[in-house]
Amino acid sequence: MRGLYSSMMTDGGVRPAQGDEQAVPDLPTTAWAVLGMLSHAEELSGYDLKKWADWSLQFFYWSPSFSQIYAELKRLEKHGYAVSRTVVSEDGMRGKRMYAITESGREAASHWVNHSPVEPPVLKHSVMLRAWLGHLAEPDRMREILGQHIEYAERMRKLAEVDAEGSEANPEWAYPSAVLRWCVKHYEAEKEFAEDLLADLDKLARKRGRRKSSK
């Protein structure tokens, strides 16, 4: 079945945006995420970037580990998209490396945002996979699985709501704030869909039970 993105695909790949003469830099999406976070501040440490990822990215993309963040920072420095310096504490005993986006890095990030092909989001929903194999599951266990997922969706909704409200205090975070509000709605819908699925699976479990009892 041909869907929304199928017209963009050709020979197993995605067509480059029409009229885009400059090639999109060949970097993983996580690198663009890290570079994008740098674009929101003058300087950030690796620890700062991890906090930013946990505060915002985790709700719609993912939160990379410290090792992944530092690996991407090295990659960005190699490409000239970021620079770093060591800041020593007042006592001279500790130092931390601060990173900043360069002008070429800002241009590259802007190019990626504006000209990279629109790719379909990849959904890897292990809970739905287990529900899809519900004929192999014990009914009570499937209820527990979906119940835990419903609790997770509600917890994420509350966290996203708190972060969305907190981001409104800073006008420079207008776009992250808008995305966080989208995340709130996303997890509201995820919870509702899971509750509907749980009701459907309960019906299937009752039917399965009746068939077994009639044998």
Side-chain angles (χ1 to χ4, degrees), residues 102-189:
T102 63
E103 187 58 35
S104 63
R106 190 175 294 275
E107 291 175 358
S110 177
H111 183 276
W112 181 79
V113 170
N114 287 293
H115 299 295
S116 289
V118 178
E119 298 178 351
V122 177
L123 180 62
K124 295 174 66 176
H125 206 312
S126 62
V127 174
M128 292 305 104
L129 179 59
R130 294 169 79 169
W132 186 69
L133 296 170
H135 62 291
L136 303 176
E138 299 174 1
D140 290 342
R141 178 56 183 149
M142 185 53 63
R143 284 191 60 85
E144 290 177 1
I145 292 169
L146 283 169
Q148 290 176 20
H149 180 62
I150 290 169
E151 291 175 359
Y152 161 79
E154 176 61 12
R155 183 170 66 255
M156 294 295 284
R157 183 198 66 79
K158 289 180 178 178
L159 289 173
E161 190 171 53
V162 169
D163 288 349
E165 292 174 354
S167 66
E168 293 175 357
N170 190 337
E172 296 180 356
W173 295 343
Y175 288 97
S177 180
V179 172
L180 284 168
R181 290 194 296 274
W182 174 89
C183 292
V184 172
K185 295 177 181 178
H186 168 79
Y187 286 107
E188 285 177 348

Side-chain angles (χ1 to χ4, degrees), residues 12-215:
V14 183
R15 291 197 191 105
Q18 292 183 355
D20 179 21
E21 298 178 355
Q22 179 183 352
V24 176
D26 187 17
L27 296 179
T29 305
T30 302
W32 296 117
V34 172
L35 189 62
M37 286 189 287
L38 287 176
S39 73
H40 282 287
E42 292 186 6
E43 281 186 320
L44 293 170
S45 67
Y47 177 75
D48 294 329
L49 288 164
K50 177 59 176 170
K51 287 198 300 182
W52 270 67
D54 290 344
W55 165 71
S56 187
L57 289 184
Q58 68 156 332
F59 295 110
F60 60 91
Y61 181 59
W62 73 312
S63 183
S65 65
F66 279 109
S67 61
Q68 290 165 326
I69 287 173
Y70 284 114
E72 296 306 337
L73 287 169
K74 288 182 179 179
R75 191 197 306 268
L76 294 171
E77 282 195 283
K78 180 180 178 181
H79 283 272
Y81 294 161
V83 292
S84 65
R85 66 187 182 99
T86 300
V87 178
V88 181
S89 60
E90 293 182 0
D91 59 13
M93 299 297 292
R94 299 182 307 278
K96 63 178 177 179
R97 187 164 290 276
M98 302 295 293
Y99 296 85
I101 191 171
T102 63
E103 187 58 35
S104 63
R106 190 175 294 275
E107 291 175 358
S110 177
H111 183 276
W112 181 79
V113 170
N114 287 293
H115 299 295
S116 289
V118 178
E119 298 178 351
V122 177
L123 180 62
K124 295 174 66 176
H125 206 312
S126 62
V127 174
M128 292 305 104
L129 179 59
R130 294 169 79 169
W132 186 69
L133 296 170
H135 62 291
L136 303 176
E138 299 174 1
D140 290 342
R141 178 56 183 149
M142 185 53 63
R143 284 191 60 85
E144 290 177 1
I145 292 169
L146 283 169
Q148 290 176 20
H149 180 62
I150 290 169
E151 291 175 359
Y152 161 79
E154 176 61 12
R155 183 170 66 255
M156 294 295 284
R157 183 198 66 79
K158 289 180 178 178
L159 289 173
E161 190 171 53
V162 169
D163 288 349
E165 292 174 354
S167 66
E168 293 175 357
N170 190 337
E172 296 180 356
W173 295 343
Y175 288 97
S177 180
V179 172
L180 284 168
R181 290 194 296 274
W182 174 89
C183 292
V184 172
K185 295 177 181 178
H186 168 79
Y187 286 107
E188 285 177 348
E190 182 72 13
K191 178 184 177 183
E192 181 181 344
F193 293 158
E195 289 171 340
D196 290 345
L197 178 60
L198 180 57
D200 287 342
L201 295 186
D202 280 344
K203 293 178 184 177
L204 292 173
R206 288 194 292 270
K207 288 182 180 179
R208 189 167 69 174
R210 287 197 294 268
R211 286 198 297 268
K212 286 183 177 181
S213 60
S214 62
K215 291 181 179 179

